[in-house]
Amino acid sequence: MKEDTLSYIRDNKEITFEQKIRLVIILSLPTILAQVSSIIMQYIDASMVGRLGAGCSASIGLVSTTTWLLGSLASAPSLGFSIQVAQLVGAKKFNRARRVFLQSFGIVLLISIIIGAAGAMISWGLPAWLGGEESIQKDATMYFLITSLSMPALGFNRLGTRMLQSCGNTRTPGILNSMNCLLDVIFNFIFIFSWHGFGFGLGVMGAALGTTAAEIVTTIIMFYVLMFRTPMLSKGYGTDSDEKAGLATIKKSFVLSLPVTFENVVMFGAMITITRIVAPLGVVAVAANAFAITAESLCYMPAYGIEEAATALVGQSIGAGRGKLALSFGRISVAFGMGIMAFTGLLMFIFAPFMIGILTPDPVVRELGVTILRIEAFAEPLYGASIVVTGVLRGAGDTLVSSLMNFFSLWAVRVVLSFLLVGSYGLVGVWIAMAAELCFRGAIFLERMERKKWLKKL
């Protein structure tokens, strides 16, 4: 049913409302399950490190936002190429799509190596600059150094995931990324602990090595599927002219990716700034902040799965010249995302003590983590709206305006409010600022989608 309905987009056939809903759900579910699996495994990882003490957890939490920034920069180029592939598949230009796919290899490899090298260079001074206590700086440095050197594997993993999704295949990356999480736990156990002579007992450094090993194994399998098991990207599948992908393709990729790169710098730059605000509050606050971020991610990761489906569906609809269909897929996806996150937000509020309790045995860290997590629960539906609308806009190639909107929301609302509230309310004030900003961001993204200016790109 999924493949048949996707072909309706390319063949300009009518798609009923029920078919649209089913297609959004069918494409979203594998990615949602992969995202949820990822977070469950992150829970286990965080719990493993948490058993080593609050200091070890704080050392990872201190550099986590900078790690996410590097990862987003390494994977950003793949977005521009995957958007083109989705639109070319929608236009049934399969040979051209294959050329774009092959061209993306070198660009992603080059940029991820540069990003990784830059991260390695700053790793020795980063923990001190972020304001971390001296007792956690060594572990934080080693964790960030190893993670930085793994950027090529992360960049290729994201490229493979996006390319498969652009072809309408969300099941395979969903399965593989779920497998990645399982491997992550196995390798982490081996590298972090030493139990009766089994394992390396490397602590925090072992957590970084375990994650890197799992990423490499998963990426190798994913590219085998792309190269040999994906017909739309196989040589001879299409009937369109087999034209080469030249500099114009690279230029278009950067035009599409640069706003998203800017958006990631803005987003994670704001998070790094907030980390500096939180760090002087002490190890307990840094650890509680890190655990709450991990716990909250279980709530919002399903929306990222729906975002990926929205990008593929809108991209193919735009490629087929069907603007009304793109808008319809966008609205259905956003409604689905907001509904899912309203439900997960409610669960997060109710089960906050259990969610934080899994991650740390420290009662002081637990109490603070539960408080801030429940504050965030009220913002989840509108946060979901901003995530899924971003996917809709990206599918249409409209990446610049959403990046500017994120810039204004994060820096003018979240960072400013955090500075104003941290003095009186500590970490609680920072999370109040975060919840207020997420509600504001969701509202402006919904307004952007309904104004429909992104459809004028047709």
Side-chain angles (χ1 to χ4, degrees):
M1 174 61 69
K2 179 187 70 174
E3 295 298 334
D4 290 343
T5 311
L6 279 173
S7 70
Y8 289 178
I9 298 174
R10 300 188 291 272
D11 295 336
N12 203 28
K13 294 180 180 179
E14 188 64 31
I15 304 176
T16 67
F17 182 71
E18 290 77 14
Q19 287 176 318
K20 293 174 189 175
I21 294 175
R22 290 180 66 185
L23 190 52
V24 169
I25 293 173
I26 289 170
L27 286 177
S28 298
L29 280 179
T31 310
I32 290 173
L33 292 174
Q35 297 283 8
V36 171
S37 298
S38 173
I39 297 307
I40 290 173
M41 297 309 170
Q42 285 182 37
Y43 260 75
I44 298 172
D45 290 355
S47 179
M48 288 179 180
V49 176
R51 295 305 180 267
L52 301 175
C56 291
S57 298
S59 66
I60 295 177
L62 181 68
V63 297
S64 61
T65 50
T66 313
T67 301
W68 297 339
L69 172 60
L70 292 190
S72 68
L73 293 176
S75 62
S78 64
L79 178 65
F81 288 106
S82 64
I83 289 173
Q84 292 183 74
V85 167
Q87 294 182 355
L88 289 167
V89 168
K92 297 196 287 189
K93 297 181 179 180
F94 301 114
N95 281 319
R96 174 71 173 170
R98 179 176 180 274
R99 291 288 186 180
V100 172
F101 163 60
L102 294 175
Q103 192 178 51
S104 67
F105 288 3
I107 302 298
V108 171
L109 177 61
L110 175 62
I111 291 178
S112 60
I113 288 175
I114 293 172
I115 296 299
M121 290 173 61
I122 67 171
S123 61
W124 304 105
L126 179 66
W129 180 81
L130 289 173
E133 295 183 7
E134 188 173 351
S135 61
I136 65 173
Q137 288 182 16
K138 181 179 178 181
D139 279 342
T141 294
M142 294 307 300
Y143 182 87
F144 187 75
L145 174 62
I146 295 169
T147 304
S148 297
L149 295 176
S150 71
M151 284 300 121
L154 179 64
F156 273 109
N157 180 279
R158 198 67 188 125
L159 174 64
T161 298
R162 282 174 168 160
M163 286 296 176
L164 287 170
Q165 290 168 342
S166 294
C167 295
N169 181 358
T170 59
R171 180 181 179 183
T172 299
I175 292 171
L176 290 176
N177 285 317
S178 296
M179 183 192 74
N180 177 60
C181 299
L182 179 59
L183 290 173
D184 186 26
V185 172
I186 294 171
F187 285 130
N188 275 5
F189 184 83
I190 293 171
F191 285 109
I192 292 174
F193 302 108
S194 179
W195 184 68
H196 295 292
F198 176 78
F200 294 97
L202 297 175
V204 171
M205 186 169 68
L209 289 171
T211 300
T212 299
E215 199 82 60
I216 291 171
V217 172
T218 305
T219 301
I220 291 172
I221 298 173
M222 188 173 297
F223 268 81
Y224 170 78
V225 174
L226 267 169
M227 298 295 294
F228 302 107
R229 292 287 185 266
T230 306
M232 291 177 185
L233 299 180
S234 298
K235 190 177 174 98
Y237 179 79
T239 58
D240 56 302
S241 61
D242 192 11
E243 57 181 312
K244 293 183 178 180
L247 292 176
T249 301
I250 298 176
K251 181 180 177 181
K252 185 175 181 180
S253 174
F254 277 98
V255 168
L256 292 169
S257 298
L258 280 177
V260 179
T261 303
F262 169 74
E263 178 182 325
N264 288 330
V265 171
V266 165
M267 181 176 298
F268 292 113
M271 290 182 180
I272 292 168
T273 301
I274 290 171
T275 299
R276 291 203 67 185
I277 296 172
V278 171
L281 299 176
V283 169
V284 169
V286 174
N289 186 63
F291 286 137
I293 289 173
T294 299
E296 188 212 0
S297 60
L298 183 61
C299 184
Y300 65 69
M301 277 302 170
Y304 280 104
I306 300 168
E307 176 202 25
E308 300 284 3
T311 299
L313 290 169
V314 171
Q316 290 201 24
S317 299
I318 293 291
R322 304 181 67 179
K324 289 184 179 179
L325 182 62
L327 178 61
S328 180
F329 275 130
R331 286 173 171 169
I332 292 170
S333 299
V334 171
F336 185 33
M338 292 184 70
I340 287 285
M341 285 193 60
F343 176 69
T344 56
L346 176 62
L347 293 180
M348 185 171 75
F349 186 90
I350 296 171
F351 295 106
F354 174 74
M355 297 169 74
I356 296 294
I358 293 176
L359 300 173
T360 175
D362 191 311
V364 179
V365 175
R366 280 170 136 179
E367 182 180 0
L368 183 55
V370 169
T371 299
I372 59 179
L373 199 58
R374 282 178 164 164
I375 291 170
E376 192 74 359
F378 294 97
E380 297 304 308
L382 283 171
Y383 186 20
S386 69
I387 292 171
V388 182
V389 173
T390 297
V392 172
L393 299 179
R394 286 177 179 176
D398 182 26
T399 55
L400 177 59
V401 175
S402 62
S403 300
L404 295 175
M405 289 163 63
N406 272 313
F407 172 77
F408 178 79
S409 182
L410 282 162
W411 287 91
V413 180
R414 184 183 298 193
V415 172
V416 171
L417 281 179
S418 295
F419 271 116
L420 293 175
L421 296 177
V422 70
S424 300
Y425 302 101
L427 186 61
V428 171
V430 173
W431 279 69
I432 291 173
M434 188 186 304
E437 183 272 323
L438 290 175
C439 291
F440 173 78
R441 195 196 312 179
I444 61 175
F445 269 85
L446 285 172
E447 192 271 343
R448 170 67 180 174
M449 187 179 78
E450 289 304 317
R451 288 181 66 182
K452 307 174 191 175
K453 286 188 176 181
W454 51 278
L455 286 173
K456 294 182 180 179
K457 292 183 176 292
L458 281 170

